[in-house]
Amino acid sequence: MFALIKELHQHKVKIIITTDHGTVKVNNAIKVVGDRNTTTNLRYKNGKNLNYNANEVFEIRQPEKAHLPKSNLSTSYIFATNYDFLAYPNNFNYYVSYYKNTFQHGGISMEEMIIPFIKLKPNQ
């Protein structure tokens, strides 16, 4: 990478380096109940008839207002925040022990919402 940057510098090329958003090391399970069509992601879920504690998640009940797809009339979205992950009550303890302290993608956190980048320009 350094050799490439040096070569581009000699040709007076501007460079922008960026990366995909990150992951979060999760450690707190939040119980969620959904039907069989609910998404399986650990950091967000969408579907109809989701049951959860609204104080523990970020919820969007009107997906069209957030420019999210709406597959049926009662589609809603929930997102894990901080270091939480979403788990179903059946086999809850198994999933908690399996996923606790793992790195997960999605949800709402600084690591997921901010995309780092750097802009390099050659000396004139």
Side-chain angles (χ1 to χ4, degrees):
M1 179 79 164
F2 184 62
L4 175 62
I5 291 172
K6 284 174 49 176
E7 179 71 25
L8 293 172
H9 174 74
Q10 289 183 1
H11 295 284
K12 306 288 186 207
V13 174
K14 291 181 184 176
I15 304 169
I16 297 176
I17 302 173
T18 188
T19 182
D20 188 7
H21 47 90
T23 58
V24 174
K25 187 175 182 182
V26 297
N27 59 26
N28 183 47
I30 304 295
K31 287 185 182 179
V32 176
V33 178
D35 64 18
R36 64 179 29 209
N37 295 320
T38 301
T39 54
T40 58
N41 190 287
L42 293 175
R43 296 273 295 158
Y44 71 91
K45 300 217 179 279
N46 74 303
K48 57 183 182 175
N49 302 321
L50 294 174
N51 280 316
Y52 51 87
N53 181 342
N55 294 325
E56 296 178 318
V57 298
F58 181 82
E59 64 181 346
I60 297 177
R61 292 194 173 270
Q62 297 175 310
E64 65 280 359
K65 288 188 176 182
H67 304 285
L68 294 169
K70 185 174 183 176
S71 56
N72 60 54
L73 287 175
S74 60
T75 296
S76 61
Y77 287 76
I78 59 171
F79 296 88
T81 59
N82 303 314
Y83 306 105
D84 298 341
F85 65 99
L86 308 171
Y88 295 115
N90 56 329
N91 296 327
F92 184 77
N93 291 329
Y94 169 77
Y95 286 107
V96 169
S97 64
Y98 190 80
Y99 289 110
K100 189 173 184 174
N101 294 321
T102 62
F103 288 91
Q104 298 298 323
H105 182 61
I108 296 176
S109 65
M110 295 293 278
E111 294 86 351
E112 289 290 324
M113 302 301 287
I114 296 175
I115 299 174
F117 74 94
I118 185 169
K119 182 177 176 183
L120 305 172
K121 57 184 180 177
N123 298 338
Q124 300 301 333

